[in-house]
Amino acid sequence: MLIGLVLALIAGSLVSLQNIFNSKVNEHTGSWSTTTLVLGMGFIASLTMGLIMEGGNMFTLQHMQPWYWFSGMIGVGVVICLVHATRLLGPTYAISIVLTSQLGFALLWDSMGWLGLTRVPFSFNQLIGVLVIVVGILVFKLGGAREPKQDTGTGQPKQALNLK
């Protein structure tokens, strides 16, 4: 279980890091170019690592449902939406919403047993957990965060309440 926790923490940090990198790439090119670059580089990296780690067995795809092949197309939607959300909301707020959405939909799919998942009984404790995260995001966003503003007299940053 400890290894699973460590891997999940690493994955979370990598998703946040990738999101920041993607938004920086998008500043210099378009969304579709960013998506092509990100997924193309990911393809090259995963193909290389897969061949090193699994060799020819990497392409043995037995007993797989045909709709699972659409996963890569879903990845296009993920990258496009994340790039735009980060540009519009900023990395912290965008990732907070993305992670909450992931948790909420995972709870839905688990409790319904959809997409070939083993059905996990729904509990209100799980729903409360997701709602607590949503409230945390609202507190984070609306809780009076401070943004530096330029002092017109000195040209130095000045702290002011963010009342947006």
Side-chain angles (χ1 to χ4, degrees):
M1 182 168 157
L2 181 61
I3 292 173
L5 291 171
V6 170
L7 290 173
L9 287 170
I10 292 170
S13 68
L14 292 175
V15 166
S16 295
L17 185 62
Q18 181 189 26
N19 192 37
I20 292 168
F21 282 16
N22 291 354
S23 67
K24 294 299 180 184
V25 170
N26 192 54
E27 288 176 7
H28 301 283
T29 184
S31 298
W32 291 108
S33 299
T34 300
T35 304
T36 302
L37 178 66
V38 167
L39 296 178
M41 296 290 286
F43 170 76
I44 292 168
S46 61
L47 178 64
T48 302
M49 291 305 296
L51 289 172
I52 291 169
M53 303 299 280
E54 297 178 18
N57 291 334
M58 179 175 150
F59 300 105
T60 305
L61 307 173
Q62 299 173 355
H63 311 295
M64 188 167 74
Q65 298 293 337
W67 57 81
Y68 294 155
W69 287 82
F70 292 100
S71 170
M73 286 187 260
I74 293 170
V76 171
V78 170
V79 173
I80 287 288
C81 291
L82 269 171
V83 164
H84 286 290
T86 300
R87 183 175 45 82
L88 296 169
L89 302 172
T92 305
Y93 193 41
I95 286 291
S96 298
I97 293 170
V98 166
L99 294 178
T100 304
S101 175
Q102 282 181 309
L103 185 59
F105 279 101
L107 174 61
L108 174 68
W109 292 320
D110 269 349
S111 53
M112 300 302 271
W114 290 346
L115 304 171
L117 297 173
T118 303
R119 189 169 183 194
V120 176
F122 173 81
S123 76
F124 283 102
N125 288 343
Q126 294 167 326
L127 179 61
I128 290 169
V130 173
L131 293 177
V132 165
I133 294 170
V134 170
V135 169
I137 292 170
L138 290 173
V139 168
F140 173 79
K141 183 62 179 170
L142 305 174
R146 296 181 171 263
E147 284 185 4
K149 288 193 173 182
Q150 291 297 107
D151 182 357
T152 54
T154 66
Q156 297 296 317
K158 174 171 107 172
Q159 293 292 330
L161 284 178
N162 178 8
L163 301 175
K164 291 183 188 176

